């Protein structure tokens, strides 16, 4: 069996056509840019979430799920643990 996967860089600085066509992916890319902008600062994720809500970037989602997003971004990912949970 052979699997071919096309990987698309959705960083906003790459301006991929997909970002123009899909608003949610574009906003997600902007959110990640904002998280990177605040990296190294205290409460960086919280600042990024608040900044994005004010700018209307994923605002509804971040208002409802902001704490889950924070936990996901600060949690250390472990493939083995992920497999055990599934």
């Amino acid at each position: 069996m052979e699997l071919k996967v096309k990987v698309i860089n959705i960083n906003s600085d790459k301006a991929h056509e997909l970002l123009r066509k899909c608003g949610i992916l574009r906003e997600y890319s902007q959110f990640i840019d904002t998280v990177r902008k605040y990296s190294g600062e205290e409460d960086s994720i919280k600042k990024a979430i608040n900044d994005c809500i004010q700018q209307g970037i994923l605002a509804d989602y971040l208002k409802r799920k902001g704490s889950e997003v924070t936990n996901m971004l600060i949690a250390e990912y472990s493939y083995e643990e992920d497999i055990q949970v599934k």
Side-chain angles (χ1 to χ4, degrees):
M1 183 184 321
E2 181 178 324
L3 173 67
K4 291 185 179 184
V5 178
K6 181 177 183 176
V7 178
I8 299 172
N9 186 341
I10 62 164
N11 286 314
S12 58
D13 64 334
K14 302 300 179 195
H16 192 277
E17 178 184 351
L18 187 59
L19 295 178
R20 186 176 48 79
K21 291 180 177 181
C22 181
I24 297 296
L25 271 180
R26 181 179 56 254
E27 288 184 31
Y28 174 75
S29 181
Q30 292 170 325
F31 171 67
I32 295 303
D33 283 346
T34 306
V35 170
R36 289 178 181 145
K37 178 177 90 173
Y38 287 110
S39 69
E41 292 186 27
E42 189 173 325
D43 294 328
S44 59
I45 297 170
K46 186 180 253 186
K47 287 179 183 178
I49 289 172
N50 289 334
D51 193 9
C52 285
I53 289 171
Q54 289 177 351
Q55 293 182 43
I57 299 168
L58 296 177
D60 292 337
Y61 184 80
L62 292 173
K63 285 176 188 174
R64 286 184 326 216
K65 305 281 186 172
S67 60
E68 291 177 41
V69 171
T70 300
N71 291 337
M72 181 185 69
L73 290 174
I74 62 175
E76 187 173 324
Y77 178 78
S78 164
Y79 178 75
E80 291 78 21
E81 187 176 322
D82 190 34
I83 293 299
Q84 288 175 352
V85 167
K86 288 180 181 175

